[in-house]
């Protein structure tokens, strides 16, 4: 009789150990599943910030309503971010090509294109060149950051600017250049005119 009781007790302990092991694995599996789902959710959240397309050595032309080229943006690399609809560009070149206006060319180390606003932010070593025309002198300006309102053909900055306008030199803080009117508005600074020829 004692042997029968010992066998039953031994069998119960084995059954209890098996049940505890099964419960442990069930909770472990549940925890692992929750951890994986949380990681997938985090990855999906970060995926929206990743570029949805990347283009090397690209050119982008925006046209006027009449089908004429308005401006050209080119660069070494463009990476578009879908959530903000902003493209990061390395070594950008922006050329204003509106009919009847002097072509203005801008270079920089990098840029951000805000597609919804048709706004381009040129960043680091910005260089602007506009050739002379019968109505205006040649212009070259350098600054560290520049906002380009491409549709309005206006560029502006609140940073220090070094500019050559014809034979004159300008050092100012702030600049607004309007290509349609060929006017340049300067912030505070210094203008040096060459001596008049006699």
């Amino acid at each position: 009789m004692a042997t029968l009781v010992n066998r039953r007790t031994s069998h119960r302990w084995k059954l209890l150990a098996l049940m505890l092991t099964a419960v442990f694995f069930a909770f472990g599996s549940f925890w692992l599943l929750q951890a994986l789902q949380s990681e997938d959710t985090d990855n999906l959240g970060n995926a929206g910030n990743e570029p949805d397309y990347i283009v090397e050595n690209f050119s982008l032309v925006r046209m006027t309503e009449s089908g004429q080229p308005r401006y050209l943006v080119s660069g070494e690399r463009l990476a578009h971010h879908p959530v903000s609809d902003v493209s990061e560009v390395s070594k950008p070149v922006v050329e204003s090509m509106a009919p009847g206006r002097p072509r203005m060319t801008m270079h920089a180390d990098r840029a951000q294109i805000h597609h919804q606003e048709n706004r381009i932010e040129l960043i680091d070593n910005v260089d602007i060149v506009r050739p002379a025309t019968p109505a205006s002198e040649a212009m070259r300006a350098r600054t560290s950051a520049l906002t380009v309102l491409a549709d309005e053909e206006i560029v502006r900055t609140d940073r220090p600017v070094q500019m050559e306008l014809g034979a004159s030199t300008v050092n100012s803080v702030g600049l607004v250049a309007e290509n349609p009117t060929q006017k340049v508005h300067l912030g505070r600074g210094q203008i040096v005119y060459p001596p008049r020829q006699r």
Side-chain angles (χ1 to χ4, degrees), residues 112-158:
Q112 293 179 337
I113 302 175
H114 298 258
H115 296 279
Q116 293 295 325
E117 304 167 40
N118 293 322
R119 174 169 55 90
I120 304 167
E121 298 291 341
L122 297 174
I123 305 162
D124 296 335
N125 297 315
V126 181
D127 193 354
I128 312 160
V129 177
R130 188 186 70 192
T133 69
S136 65
E137 297 178 303
M139 181 191 78
R140 182 168 190 182
R142 297 175 186 86
T143 186
S144 60
L146 187 74
T147 298
V148 180
L149 305 176
D151 287 341
E152 292 87 353
E153 297 179 66
I154 295 173
V155 298
R156 67 185 184 209
T157 185
D158 58 1

Side-chain angles (χ1 to χ4, degrees), residues 44-139:
L44 285 174
N46 291 333
N49 295 325
E50 295 298 317
D52 57 349
Y53 60 85
I54 296 173
V55 185
E56 305 281 344
N57 299 315
F58 74 96
S59 291
L60 167 70
V61 180
R62 183 162 175 92
M63 309 298 280
T64 64
E65 293 177 0
S66 62
Q68 299 292 323
R70 181 187 295 273
Y71 63 87
L72 169 71
V73 181
S74 58
E76 289 184 0
R77 183 178 186 270
L78 178 145
H80 178 259
H81 299 272
V83 171
S84 58
D85 197 17
V86 172
S87 292
E88 301 282 343
V89 179
S90 59
K91 297 298 180 186
V93 179
V94 181
E95 295 180 76
S96 172
M97 304 172 65
R101 307 239 207 320
R103 180 174 290 199
M104 190 158 47
T105 306
M106 293 157 275
H107 296 80
D109 288 347
R110 57 194 178 95
Q112 293 179 337
I113 302 175
H114 298 258
H115 296 279
Q116 293 295 325
E117 304 167 40
N118 293 322
R119 174 169 55 90
I120 304 167
E121 298 291 341
L122 297 174
I123 305 162
D124 296 335
N125 297 315
V126 181
D127 193 354
I128 312 160
V129 177
R130 188 186 70 192
T133 69
S136 65
E137 297 178 303
M139 181 191 78

Side-chain angles (χ1 to χ4, degrees), residues 1-18:
M1 187 73 175
T3 303
L4 184 61
V5 170
N6 285 341
R7 283 185 185 169
R8 283 184 182 171
T9 304
S10 173
H11 180 67
R12 285 181 183 162
W13 281 112
K14 288 180 181 175
L15 184 60
L16 181 61
L18 185 63

